[in-house]
Amino acid sequence: MRSEAAPQPGGLERFASAGKGRGLRARRRYAVGELLFSCPAYTAVLTVSERGSHCDGCFARKEGLSKCGRCKQAFYCNVECQKEDWPMHKLECSAMCAFGQNWNPSETVRLTARILAKQKTHPERTQSEKLLAVKEFESHLDKLDNEKRELIQNDIAALHHFYSKHLEYPDNAALVVLFAQVNCNGFTIEDEELSHLGSAIFPDVALMNHSCCPNVIVTYKGTLAEVRAVKEIEPGEEVFTSYIDLLYPTEDRNDRLRDSYFFNCDCRECTTKEKDKEKLEIRKLNDPPSAETVWDMIKYARNVIEEFRRAKHYKYILCLNPDSAGLVELLEICELSLDKMGAVFEESNVYMLHMMYQAMGVCLYVQDWEGALRYGQKIIRPYSKHYPSYSLNVASMWLKLGRLYMALENRPAGVKALKR
């Protein structure tokens, strides 16, 4: 899509959305592909694993970044990026020197520390808060269960442990509210292949409500969020984004929305459930599996997805060596689950696609380009069917395939995939 001057949100307005609280509404027509508005991050934090390959200030990916002379763990494009980031980096710089290898606050803790610092130095409304201020964020405090409250207390303890010199803390009750606000309103910044780069707060973007039939998508240029139409939007129409991955069937999507955002979605897709049958496609066998067998396999699929998520979290942290046995174990989990699910599910079933995608990720990590391509080729067509039009997940998969074809010297296929 062509670049254009970033519009101010003058063609949009904040309003009371029936049954949803605050929302964002169009005051004029927007065409498919048009940029509705862009929002600089109120504050952002680069994920630790990307330090050295991306600038800690602007998140640009570059060779030959310059490191902070003191902690030697933050990297910048140039002096300007370093100076601009210093009010935030100084929160961590001396602590990283003091704690060394034991400096390990979570990304949520790091982001919250930066919000506290920003609120102290910039009490006035910022360029990121034209329509919604950070202090107006919903916390859903009354809906937090004991487990979520305990996790927040753990984060508060980590905040006090790792940050002291440059932070002034509010009382514990105010910190509970702030962490709850961050959990509900924080954003994950991703690159063009949807790999995790960091976390950020984009207040005006957070004003949009969720739909599983969104009419906009959010993309990132460094620490700038861009909101672009993927459907025609008429004057008076509400602007909807998606808070979650839309690959999964209705029940799974609403489980995620309830757990993270405390609501059920009532969009057309969730009301009709018209895509669920295709998303849960069963193999066409002479002796079809019983409803009980299918349901047992769905439960197995959900469990193995969660098992893999936990295994991936621990093994990727430990696996600095691409030949590590931990990565072999991750691939084995994928392959064994695919074999078991394949007895009941078609390859286009979303649970099969999920594990293929994870297997593809492991192959990419260990630079097994042919293995990654095999999985990607199986994924792309069902992705195109299951996801909405102009999905970033589909675009990202075509990009990965294009790069893989090019790496394997199949230029015609690579060019075709990249054009898609």
Side-chain angles (χ1 to χ4, degrees):
M1 298 176 181
R2 69 182 187 281
S3 60
E4 63 256 68
Q8 300 302 308
L12 304 159
E13 63 182 356
R14 173 174 161 169
F15 81 116
S17 178
K20 300 181 186 296
R22 298 181 294 248
L24 188 64
R25 181 167 62 189
R27 299 175 62 187
R28 68 170 179 83
R29 182 181 177 278
Y30 288 92
V32 174
E34 189 172 353
L35 187 67
L36 277 70
F37 70 100
S38 56
C39 179
Y42 177 83
T43 191
V45 59
L46 184 73
T47 195
V48 171
S49 61
E50 294 299 334
R51 281 188 158 157
S53 59
H54 289 79
C55 173
D56 274 68
C58 70
F59 283 29
R61 183 182 183 90
K62 287 188 178 178
E63 300 288 336
L65 294 168
S66 301
K67 66 176 67 173
C68 170
R70 187 176 182 190
C71 70
K72 296 179 172 53
Q73 292 189 55
F75 294 77
Y76 298 98
C77 299
N78 48 44
V79 173
E80 287 73 23
C81 273
Q82 186 169 10
K83 284 182 177 177
E84 191 172 333
D85 192 50
W86 174 245
M88 295 294 108
H89 176 57
K90 74 178 181 182
L91 299 172
E92 301 180 345
C93 189
S94 57
M96 286 193 291
C97 294
F99 283 96
Q101 294 297 316
N102 295 319
W103 187 85
N104 59 355
S106 70
E107 219 161 280
T108 300
V109 170
R110 295 175 63 207
L111 187 64
T112 305
R114 292 180 178 223
I115 293 171
L116 287 169
K118 181 91 173 210
Q119 288 176 337
K120 179 71 175 176
T121 58
H122 291 79
E124 72 284 358
R125 211 163 174 123
T126 68
Q127 287 296 303
S128 309
E129 301 170 283
K130 291 187 172 73
L131 297 168
L132 182 70
V134 170
K135 290 185 178 180
E136 295 181 275
F137 280 174
E138 286 281 359
S139 66
H140 297 290
L141 206 59
D142 58 322
K143 298 170 186 170
L144 298 181
D145 58 24
N146 289 335
E147 182 182 358
K148 285 184 169 61
R149 287 180 180 274
E150 185 177 342
L151 289 172
I152 286 176
Q153 289 299 337
N154 291 341
D155 281 339
I156 291 172
L159 184 73
H160 283 287
H161 181 66
F162 290 109
Y163 296 85
S164 57
K165 187 176 179 182
H166 301 286
L167 269 186
E168 293 181 21
Y169 299 102
D171 61 29
N172 188 78
L175 284 174
V176 170
V177 171
L178 181 57
F179 272 103
Q181 289 173 323
V182 171
N183 289 337
C184 286
N185 296 277
F187 287 80
T188 295
I189 295 182
E190 297 168 323
D191 65 12
E192 70 277 7
E193 289 193 2
L194 303 188
S195 295
H196 180 78
L197 292 184
S199 299
I201 297 294
F202 297 103
D204 287 346
V205 183
L207 179 60
M208 293 186 292
N209 285 314
H210 165 86
S211 172
C212 298
C213 312
N215 50 18
V216 300
I217 55 172
V218 182
T219 56
Y220 304 98
K221 287 184 177 176
T223 57
L224 181 76
E226 294 188 335
V227 177
R228 196 176 291 273
V230 291
K231 295 179 181 177
E232 288 189 0
I233 303 173
E234 299 298 333
E237 191 176 341
E238 182 164 2
V239 177
F240 288 108
T241 186
S242 174
Y243 295 175
I244 56 171
D245 189 338
L246 296 176
L247 178 65
Y248 302 95
T250 304
E251 185 178 340
D252 295 48
R253 295 196 309 273
N254 277 283
D255 281 348
R256 171 72 194 284
L257 289 169
R258 280 191 300 273
D259 182 61
S260 298
Y261 303 102
F262 309 101
F263 70 88
N264 284 309
C265 182
D266 60 359
C267 73
R268 177 181 54 78
E269 183 66 37
C270 288
T271 304
T272 65
K273 303 182 180 180
E274 61 186 15
K275 286 189 175 181
D276 282 4
K277 187 175 180 180
E278 281 189 340
K279 289 184 175 185
L280 296 172
E281 192 168 1
I282 307 304
R283 287 190 64 192
K284 296 172 180 62
L285 302 169
N286 292 330
D287 185 15
S290 66
E292 184 181 5
T293 300
V294 172
W295 176 237
D296 285 344
M297 192 58 72
I298 289 173
K299 288 190 288 187
Y300 165 79
R302 290 172 178 170
N303 288 335
V304 81
I305 285 171
E306 180 59 24
E307 176 194 341
F308 185 88
R309 186 192 66 77
R310 289 194 299 267
K312 180 179 174 183
H313 175 73
Y314 291 113
K315 293 185 189 299
Y316 270 169
I317 289 172
L318 297 172
C319 294
L320 300 177
N321 178 0
D323 298 322
S324 165
L327 292 171
V328 175
E329 290 174 24
L330 288 176
L331 197 55
E332 284 178 352
I333 292 174
C334 295
E335 291 170 346
L336 289 170
S337 65
L338 285 168
D339 283 344
K340 183 168 181 175
M341 290 189 291
V344 176
F345 296 156
E346 284 286 358
E347 284 193 339
S348 61
N349 184 294
V350 295
Y351 298 124
M352 295 283 284
L353 293 174
H354 178 98
M355 295 314 297
M356 287 184 209
Y357 184 81
Q358 299 304 325
M360 182 182 184
V362 177
C363 289
L364 288 170
Y365 195 84
V366 300
Q367 300 183 5
D368 175 8
W369 310 134
E370 291 181 351
L373 181 61
R374 281 195 300 274
Y375 284 114
Q377 288 170 327
K378 291 181 178 181
I379 291 169
I380 187 60
R381 300 299 174 189
Y383 259 33
S384 302
K385 179 172 66 173
H386 295 324
Y387 277 111
S389 300
Y390 304 106
S391 164
L392 294 174
N393 300 77
V394 178
S396 170
M397 184 56 63
W398 279 119
L399 178 60
K400 287 176 179 170
L401 286 172
R403 288 174 170 171
L404 285 167
Y405 282 125
M406 290 296 195
L408 294 168
E409 300 182 353
N410 186 345
R411 182 176 173 78
V415 169
K416 185 177 180 182
L418 291 172
K419 283 182 177 179
R420 292 295 297 270

